[in-house]
Amino acid sequence: MASTTVPTSPVTGSALLLIRFITGWHAMLALGLGLLAWLITQGELLQQDVLRPVAVGLALIGAVASLIAAPLVLRRDRRGRLLSMGLNYILAVGCLLMLLGALGLYTGLDLIAERFYSWAWLLVGLLVGFLIAALGDRYTHVPTTQALFQRMGNLIMAATILFLLLLMGLPQGLLALLSGLRTPWTLGLLGGTVIFGLAFWLFWRPTGARMFAAGERDAEVISGYLFIAPNLIGFLLFFAGPLLFSLWLSFTDSDSFKASFIGLRNYVDIFSLQLVSVQSPAQNANELLSRGYLELTRFGTLVIGARDRIFWIALWNTSVFCFWVTLLSALPALLVANILNSKIPGMQIFRALYFIPSIAGVVGVAVIWKWLYNSNIGFLNYGINQIIGLLNWLPGVELVPVAIPWLASQQTALASLILMAAWQLLGFNTILFLAGLQSIPGEVYEAATIDGASVWQRFRYMTLPLLAPTSFFVVTTTLITTLQVFSEPFVMTPTPGGGPNNATMTAVLYLYQQGFNRFNQGYAAAVAWVLFLFIFAVTLIQFRLQRRYGEM
Amino acid sequence: MQRMQRLLAWISLMAIMGLTLAACGGAPAAQPTAAPAPTAAPAPTAAPAPTAAPAPTAAPAPTAAPAESTIRWRTRPDNQAEIDVYQTISDRLDGELDGIALVYEPGGSEGASYQDVLRTELAAGTAPDVFWIPGTDVADFGTRGLILDMRSLADATDGYSDSDFYPGPMFHLTFNPENGSNGEVLWGLPRDVSTFALYINNDLIEQAGAPDPRELAAKGEWDWDAFVETAVAVTNLGGDVKGFGMNAWWANPGLFINSAGGGFFSEDRTACALDSDESIAGMEFASRLYNELNVAVPYGEDSEPPFLAGNVGMFLNGRWATPGTRANAQFDWDVVEVPAGPAGARSWLFWGAYVINADTKDPEAAWKLVQALTRADIQGQISELGANIPSRVSDEAIQAFLGFSPPANNQAFINNLANNPAVEGPLWAGSWPEFDAAMGARMTAVLTGAQTIDEYRANVCNEANQAFDK
């Protein structure tokens, strides 16, 4: 679409001055940001070693952008205007966010949120005010009465808010703001916010647009970016930023407090494997493996050693967990969805019942299941022993009561977690399948029935193919969810670490332990990226299979 | 209608701005930290010993300006009762310590990953000024520069002496990793100490016809054989009843290793010693309880609930289990010393310490708080709850501890303390979490029957020694 351009306004003295001023401003800004980057590298401004490279990188990017913007602005190139505005906007918002942080806004909000419950009763005042104001609408035929009600309602709401703010500490906040603004740091941030904001505004206003012959399309682009800016900033700050930061960390030996670049060493440690042959199955392979390697598994006399044995165990456990939970939560869900899709009275209740585990918190559910699984006082063993007791009434049957250590045995611990997770995911998958089933037109089944198709044939040749997109969605989401399993082993088999002999150690639990128990943040980040690639590969295979399946 | 909408928009805008302003000042304090209520004051007998009380005027505070300094502090309580006591103590000290305002932040309990949260806060720069850490973490925190070396503060304080506290914890708290000497540094002061004891269900033991372990201990006959006989007799009661239970934690199998004359580390704590003959003998005994005699709650299961439900004859745990047992046990219970193995009854000496955040803005104020929190009267006040044994070598504090009953046989803890216990400690030459992970997995494998003791012996130190490469 061709953009509508506005003729460049003749360069008046004041416009020329502004252009030159902004050009100079960007040159200075580039210099300032470069200086900032240098100071950060000297350790002058930022204490945390870990953040230093990131801060330097950002400052240099800003400096380069500013350096590029300067000549473009001087030439009255529209790209220069956009670049200048973008840079000034980001810096203004950045200064403002830091200023609010320096003034204690974020911790203050935390404190207010912590204590809000004790003031929550005041919200009744807001409700009353709103109801009174709304009551005025019943008197549209008497404007004075209507206005009276609305005024009263608004007054009550405003008074409630004011009272609430006073309780929250508005006067103290005002005083804190005034005293907080007296430090050079906060004053600098305030100045930065105003100056960058002003620089942004100077080009944003119509006069600024005319200097660059910017048309409606430019205005639309800027308006669009401004509208999405809050969300975009949030995305960059809390998602993309940390994601890239973790990628950077994975190339360091970060322990949360200091970090040195070590290249691919973390990844090398993760993937280092060694093959050795033992003379006999009884031989201890660790004696043959290089220092730092431990036996991972063996096939006959061939032994695979790994530098990080636990990572591979965790990856294996995660894969097993993922496979079985996907299978046990998807297939039964398909069956249950078919049953729930019938028009039997009371089916709505069953649909709700099946969905309940999905909305329950994983931690809460895990704690309950932990008790159910207790070998001594758990209901599961109790139930089994009750059944054994009943069977023992039969002639010739003499079964011994069991005390299965569900979570304490290496053989059953992971299976126990699988069972619980499958139970919890079943409801959600059922609802997805149910939605898929209900989107299949009934006429199709009617036609098939008339043609003599049996129940199985209808299911095999009609339901399953028509449910393929739903099945793909169910399997994919379940796979991704289960590959990130953490809460279940963390809560149910807490000590030591990953259950009996690492039987329930999963990839995310392992990276958590590396990062937060052992201060190995760099290594944990590398594990996280390996897991990401693993999930990505599995999902990609899924997509390929789905495409092939869909084309058949 | 438009006017109404405009008005509501204004009200909303003002509310947001007001909230922003209010947040800048932080929320008003939850409660005034005025002088403590009279009921919160300690009993007269728990008054601070004159020699133990630090002289406030002697604190090295050249910059001790009258301006109030706010000190945030945290410890890991086990239950609400402990939180309440610590809050009372904080309020009391807030009134006593001039120029210092205290904010007590109860940390999460053991299951709430107290240390993980603390590490994260330290990395973010939001950790409290003073906090408690377990003894095993002192090296990690100290060598990373996360906690303050208090030696200069201590040296400048009249009345302070390292020897006021049990020497075991103080060995590690005064250890200088740079030259391997003691006394040049001071990483913290111990909050409390604890030892293991066996919590016994007297009803079950009597029902099983086994001799009273307390009487056997008094006669010096409470050894591994007697312990096994009791466990077998109780298990033979049948049903869900087991003779013994302990949780999956390094210290529990470690008790048997210690009592067999073994240990986790070599003498200089620079290598694994879990495969020594003595250590293996301890693990063999523990393994026998689980895999041969089948007298124990499966290793890895939480043994406390079945014990509290009256299904376990003897439950191995520290002093911290006392409040829960008092609150929940519906049977006749007591404690007894740990049974003697070939090397005697060598329990653990557990401890944790109050340390000062290296980034605290007011080290002098933080030091004053650490001193106050480890005073005999304060320790006595906490001991009255039953969860802790005072870390200060003080008759007064011990008497306060012994006065807490049930259990009737509190002396068992003190006896274990006096009987050359193995001191829980950090690894200055390696990574304790790495060592713990490697050791814990192998111990679990043996005690759950997934691995033989020979496999354990062949592998455990190969894996655990990697902790010393970190």
Side-chain angles (χ1 to χ4, degrees), chain A residues 2-74:
Chain A
S3 65
T4 313
T5 54
V6 181
T8 316
S9 61
V11 185
T12 60
S14 59
L16 192 64
L17 194 66
L18 181 66
I19 294 276
R20 284 178 180 165
F21 173 74
I22 296 287
T23 304
W25 162 248
H26 275 295
M28 280 174 58
L29 186 62
L31 200 65
L33 287 172
L35 186 67
L36 184 71
W38 181 77
L39 284 173
I40 293 171
T41 56
Q42 299 305 305
E44 293 293 323
L45 297 174
L46 201 61
Q47 299 297 318
Q48 289 97 334
D49 284 1
V50 183
L51 292 175
R52 204 168 288 149
V54 179
V56 169
L58 288 176
L60 286 178
I61 289 171
V64 171
S66 193
L67 214 55
I68 294 171
L72 291 174
V73 168
L74 191 64

Side-chain angles (χ1 to χ4, degrees), chain B residues 95-301:
Chain B
E96 287 179 18
L97 299 172
D98 289 338
I100 302 174
L102 296 180
V103 178
Y104 171 60
E105 301 170 358
S109 60
E110 192 167 357
S113 307
Y114 173 89
Q115 284 109 298
D116 299 350
V117 173
L118 190 61
R119 286 185 179 110
T120 312
E121 289 183 340
L122 283 164
T126 56
D129 300 275
V130 172
F131 48 84
W132 173 90
I133 53 173
T136 47
D137 279 2
V138 168
D140 210 5
F141 281 64
T143 51
R144 287 176 202 277
L146 307 180
I147 54 177
L148 197 73
D149 172 9
M150 311 174 189
R151 178 52 70 195
S152 59
L153 293 161
D155 286 347
T157 304
D158 282 348
Y160 171 79
S161 169
D162 289 353
S163 60
D164 287 342
F165 300 92
Y166 284 102
M170 291 313 287
F171 172 85
H172 292 290
L173 285 170
T174 59
F175 185 80
N176 184 350
E178 287 178 8
N179 57 20
S181 68
N182 281 88
E184 293 171 9
V185 298
L186 181 62
W187 298 114
L189 294 183
R191 180 190 74 172
D192 53 43
V193 295
S194 188
T195 58
F196 265 154
L198 277 169
Y199 288 74
I200 51 175
N201 182 328
N202 292 323
D203 291 344
L204 279 182
I205 290 170
E206 191 183 336
Q207 203 182 331
D212 189 328
R214 294 166 297 182
E215 290 173 12
L216 292 174
K219 287 190 280 186
E221 294 171 5
W222 184 232
D223 56 15
W224 281 4
D225 291 337
F227 168 71
V228 166
E229 280 170 24
T230 309
V232 170
V234 172
T235 306
N236 286 342
L237 288 172
D240 295 329
V241 173
K242 290 286 181 188
F244 173 65
M246 65 181 187
N247 288 338
W249 180 41
W250 56 264
N252 290 300
L255 173 87
F256 296 106
I257 291 173
N258 294 339
S259 297
F264 289 176
F265 311 116
S266 58
E267 198 66 34
D268 60 358
R269 298 173 77 87
T270 57
C272 163
L274 288 162
D275 58 358
S276 70
D277 290 343
E278 294 83 5
S279 298
I280 292 297
M283 275 305 289
E284 270 177 337
F285 177 75
S287 173
R288 209 175 129 227
L289 296 172
Y290 285 90
N291 302 319
E292 189 185 319
L293 300 169
N294 196 22
V295 294
V297 175
Y299 191 74
E301 294 273 357

Side-chain angles (χ1 to χ4, degrees), chain A residues 24 33 56 58 60 79 121 126 183 213 217 255 342 353 358 388 456 499 505 514:
Chain A
L33 287 172
V56 169
L58 288 176
L60 286 178
R79 289 172 302 176
W121 59 272
L126 282 181
T183 66
R217 189 165 177 275
D255 64 352
S342 56
L353 283 177
S358 304
I388 287 174
W456 169 248
M505 178 68 81
Q514 283 289 342

Side-chain angles (χ1 to χ4, degrees), chain B residues 39-75:
Chain B
T39 50
T45 52
T51 52
T57 50
T63 56
E68 182 125 305
S69 175
T70 300
I71 296 292
R72 292 165 52 215
W73 72 283
R74 182 182 299 171
T75 190

Side-chain angles (χ1 to χ4, degrees), chain B residues 334-355:
Chain B
D334 203 349
V335 292
V336 66
E337 289 86 344
V338 295
R346 288 203 69 201
S347 181
W348 285 102
L349 196 161
F350 301 107
W351 58 279
Y354 286 118
V355 295

Side-chain angles (χ1 to χ4, degrees), chain A residues 176-236:
Chain A
L177 182 71
L178 291 174
S179 63
L181 281 175
R182 282 185 305 197
T183 66
W185 171 240
T186 49
L187 277 178
L189 288 173
L190 181 64
T193 307
V194 173
I195 290 168
F196 290 122
L198 195 66
F200 168 79
W201 177 78
L202 283 173
F203 276 180
W204 186 33
R205 62 192 180 136
T207 321
R210 275 198 297 276
M211 282 190 286
F212 289 86
E216 283 173 20
R217 189 165 177 275
D218 277 9
E220 280 174 11
V221 166
I222 292 166
S223 300
Y225 276 118
L226 284 177
F227 270 115
I228 63 165
N231 201 306
L232 191 65
I233 290 169
F235 172 79
L236 291 173

